[in-house]
Amino acid sequence: MTYRRQSPIVVHRSGRALEKAMGGDELSLEEICSLLSVRDPVLLDELFQAARATRERNFGDSVFCYGFVYFSTHCRNDCSFCFYRRSNQKITRYRKTDEDIIDLSTSLEDSGVHLVDLTMGEDPMLHHGNDYQRLIDLVGRVDEAVKVPLMISPGVVPKDAFPGLKDAGADWFACYQETHNRGLFAQLRPHQDYEVRLSQKKWAMSSGMLAEEGIMIGVGESIADRARSVQIMGDLGVRQVRAMSFIPQCNTPMACRDHALFLEELVTIAVMRLLHPDRLIPASLDIEGIRGLRSRLDAGANVITSIIPPSMGLAGVAQHELDIEGGGRTVEQIESVLDETDVHLATPSEYASLISGWRRELMSSEAGP
Ligand code: SF4
């Protein structure tokens, strides 16, 4: 881990912001920046400790784990950070059949995950005009085959596709903005509409699905951009908030950039935990594999994501191969890491009851007084 000495004035200012956050007071943008800037070793320990205590107050010693089925790596978009961008002609892409997707989902459920996340690039076979029936049918078939909740991450879909996806059995909708700085968004996601992407989360929630928002760390954003994203994620009302480090991918315009310092992701996770105490916050295995799990849990994360069954020909997103084929991203491996910590995997019913409570809240707030 990289630590940097900071001036006593900066440390003092950050310490005051930390006290305020721990007291549950609302923080100004400047105070959030000050927390996100913590690099002093003593204050970092206090920040992470406070994040863990906040997690414990809200979730006890339970954490959750999600299986990941990246079922199509075809994509119509050209995001500058992404290995699977349309212009990358030097890769072998795959598209799993419905039967494979169902088998993968049931095998993840049998392994003990709390949720199955069905993710794809914006595959032109499924993003076909305004007709999303093929995707809706797929979600319905997987929902019939598994009992655990489903998350879908299909990219940007039209507003009128949301009710059908929800009725087919999708409990969650994930769609990461990556940044809430519009200029940077245009560079990261060229020719994509900022507002329409942001609206995905709102449309999902108004259809009765829970939503996840996420940002990428180390893509050229400032600390103030990160702070604004933390605020916006709170204002959106999403129940899961994510920060993941940028990892440069070959054959992309950002291939020669440095990867983010993982400490910056950890600090962002801790600050999100303090400011959004009752939200789910992922510790993704997609960045450093299983070896990065402990530090993310120590920063206050409480959902282990990107569990991928080995030997099934599946890829990750940020790290398309890391720890997958060797079985390093399995529930078994996770449990061996958790044995050394103060947290343990929740039961499936704990997770189901958490999200059904949230969905009831969502439905009653949508129904109005
Ligand atoms: S980030 Fe998603 S939408 Fe963008 S190119 Fe990659 S797979 Fe496609």
Side-chain angles (χ1 to χ4, degrees):
M1 198 178 281
T2 310
Y3 291 118
R4 196 173 75 217
R5 290 271 159 210
Q6 291 184 287
S7 83
I9 295 172
V10 172
V11 172
H12 178 69
R13 201 179 299 137
S14 303
R16 276 207 323 231
L18 179 56
E19 270 170 32
K20 215 172 148 184
M22 285 162 66
D25 294 338
E26 197 171 324
L27 264 56
S28 66
L29 189 71
E30 199 184 335
E31 287 165 328
I32 302 172
C33 287
S34 163
L35 272 189
L36 288 167
S37 306
V38 170
R39 300 293 179 270
D40 173 81
V42 174
L43 206 51
L44 274 174
D45 278 349
E46 286 175 22
L47 174 68
F48 294 141
Q49 228 168 13
R52 290 194 295 278
T54 305
R55 179 184 65 205
E56 194 181 342
R57 268 197 306 282
N58 287 275
F59 294 94
D61 55 6
S62 296
V63 296
F64 310 101
C65 64
Y66 291 179
F68 185 61
V69 181
Y70 195 12
F71 66 89
S72 173
T73 57
H74 293 266
C75 189
R76 63 184 177 182
N77 287 331
D78 227 4
C79 301
S80 23
F81 54 88
C82 180
F83 185 67
Y84 300 105
R85 67 199 303 266
R86 188 186 64 224
S87 310
N88 188 357
Q89 306 287 344
K90 295 185 183 154
I91 56 172
T92 310
R93 297 177 191 264
Y94 64 76
R95 181 184 293 118
K96 297 289 182 191
T97 63
D98 286 11
E99 285 64 36
D100 284 343
I101 298 166
I102 291 166
D103 284 353
L104 289 160
S105 303
T106 52
S107 103
L108 278 165
E109 175 175 50
D110 293 345
S111 78
V113 300
H114 295 112
L115 168 147
V116 171
D117 175 7
L118 301 175
T119 292
M120 63 187 221
E122 291 194 12
D123 184 343
M125 288 277 279
L126 289 150
H127 285 264
H128 193 55
N130 272 333
D131 181 6
Y132 282 79
Q133 198 54 47
R134 164 94 184 74
L135 179 62
I136 291 169
D137 291 344
L138 169 64
V139 172
R141 289 191 69 189
V142 177
D143 185 57
E144 266 175 32
V146 299
K147 291 191 189 67
V148 291
L150 289 184
M151 173 181 273
I152 55 168
S153 315
V156 167
V157 301
K159 188 174 185 183
D160 56 12
F162 282 89
L165 290 166
K166 186 249 170 192
D167 291 344
D171 300 280
W172 284 90
F173 191 91
C175 183
Y176 314 143
Q177 209 75 8
E178 312 299 4
T179 178
H180 299 89
N181 172 329
R182 286 163 191 265
L184 185 56
F185 178 92
Q187 290 168 33
L188 296 176
R189 294 189 175 276
H191 312 299
Q192 295 175 49
D193 189 312
Y194 179 95
E195 283 303 333
V196 171
R197 194 168 184 92
L198 194 65
S199 295
Q200 298 291 295
K201 279 74 69 165
K202 299 174 189 168
W203 294 340
M205 290 186 286
S206 59
S207 305
M209 281 185 267
L210 302 170
E212 179 185 15
E213 172 64 303
I215 55 169
M216 210 182 282
I217 303 294
V219 284
E221 81 286 4
S222 64
I223 292 277
D225 290 332
R226 280 181 211 163
R228 264 191 299 275
S229 286
V230 172
Q231 285 181 324
I232 290 170
M233 289 194 276
D235 295 344
L236 270 174
V238 296
R239 299 289 177 162
Q240 187 161 302
V241 291
R242 171 186 298 254
M244 275 172 68
S245 298
F246 164 67
I247 307 280
Q249 305 292 321
C250 54
N251 309 323
T252 67
M254 293 173 73
C256 296
R257 300 273 281 268
D258 290 334
H259 77 63
L261 290 178
F262 297 136
L263 178 61
E264 311 228 337
E265 177 189 327
L266 301 180
V267 169
T268 310
I269 287 174
V271 173
M272 291 194 307
R273 171 57 67 212
L274 291 174
L275 269 66
H276 309 312
D278 59 350
R279 299 297 186 251
L280 294 171
I281 301 180
S284 175
L285 301 178
D286 214 26
I287 301 300
E288 291 185 275
I290 196 79
R291 73 172 185 278
L293 175 56
R294 179 73 195 258
S295 57
R296 285 164 177 80
L297 292 173
D298 285 349
N302 66 338
V303 188
I304 301 151
T305 62
S306 288
I307 293 168
I308 300 180
S311 312
M312 300 274 200
L314 284 174
V317 175
Q319 299 268 30
H320 42 280
E321 287 177 347
L322 181 68
D323 274 354
I324 298 175
E325 287 309 293
R329 293 209 209 172
T330 59
V331 175
E332 224 179 355
Q333 284 292 319
I334 284 161
E335 281 179 322
S336 69
V337 174
L338 296 188
D339 284 346
E340 311 289 316
T341 70
D342 295 334
V343 293
H344 62 80
L345 285 182
T347 60
S349 61
E350 265 179 85
Y351 182 72
S353 106
L354 174 73
I355 70 158
S356 58
W358 280 348
R359 288 186 66 181
R360 275 196 302 277
E361 277 174 37
L362 201 58
M363 298 304 271
S364 57
S365 67
E366 287 303 322

